[in-house]
Amino acid sequence: MGIQVEFNPDLALRDMAEYEAGRRKIEECIPEPLEAGKVYDFLKKGQRLYYLSDSPFWGEGQMPLMKTAGNEELSRPIASIKMLEVIHFLDNGECYTRGKYKVIQTFDENDPVIHFEACKIIE
């Protein structure tokens, strides 16, 4: 018997239209407007592990925030975020991950500039 865990080098959330259509909770979606300096809540199904660090080697723990349409279909990074808190919990026998992240910088989704190299932010 094993423990199913997913390691995530990024945070992928749904478009706010999914919440507005009643298909997702608001914490599962990218806030509108998304603002640098603000702290937001997130919610993901499954037991997920995110990088928590202040190490300057890895850009003080910054990671990309991306939009997902599901099935690992991801946008380019729309922001650089720092994960502040991650909690695992059970709801009706299913495992979820919730937490808080701080937006460090936002990016234009169509900007051709590369903002991350692997898990490291490019300043």
Side-chain angles (χ1 to χ4, degrees):
M1 184 170 147
I3 300 170
Q4 188 173 9
V5 176
E6 186 173 324
F7 292 84
N8 293 133
D10 53 46
L11 179 60
L13 299 174
R14 302 288 179 138
D15 188 273
M16 189 57 77
E18 292 292 308
Y19 168 72
E20 292 164 354
R23 292 186 291 266
R24 298 286 173 171
K25 295 180 180 179
I26 196 162
E27 297 86 1
E28 294 177 281
C29 301
I30 294 173
E32 290 181 3
L34 185 66
E35 298 180 48
K38 288 204 170 184
V39 174
Y40 299 97
D41 296 323
F42 76 91
L43 176 67
K44 297 288 288 183
K45 189 174 183 179
Q47 189 167 350
R48 297 162 183 268
L49 301 177
Y50 294 97
Y51 182 62
L52 301 172
S53 176
D54 276 335
S55 169
F57 181 75
W58 289 106
E60 278 86 36
Q62 293 182 54
M63 67 178 63
L65 172 64
M66 298 192 272
K67 193 179 294 184
T68 181
N71 298 320
E72 299 179 10
E73 186 180 320
L74 302 172
S75 71
R76 293 178 51 89
I78 59 171
S80 175
I81 65 167
K82 183 171 184 176
M83 200 60 69
L84 302 176
E85 174 182 289
V86 178
I87 299 167
H88 302 113
F89 68 98
L90 293 174
D91 185 18
N92 291 324
E94 289 201 74
C95 188
Y96 288 86
T97 303
R98 71 174 169 222
K100 296 183 181 299
Y101 63 95
K102 181 177 183 177
V103 176
I104 306 301
Q105 178 182 2
T106 61
F107 310 127
D108 180 345
E109 191 174 341
N110 299 312
D111 184 356
V113 174
I114 296 173
H115 297 285
F116 284 87
E117 184 173 310
C119 295
K120 189 173 182 181
I121 184 80
I122 298 172
E123 303 283 347

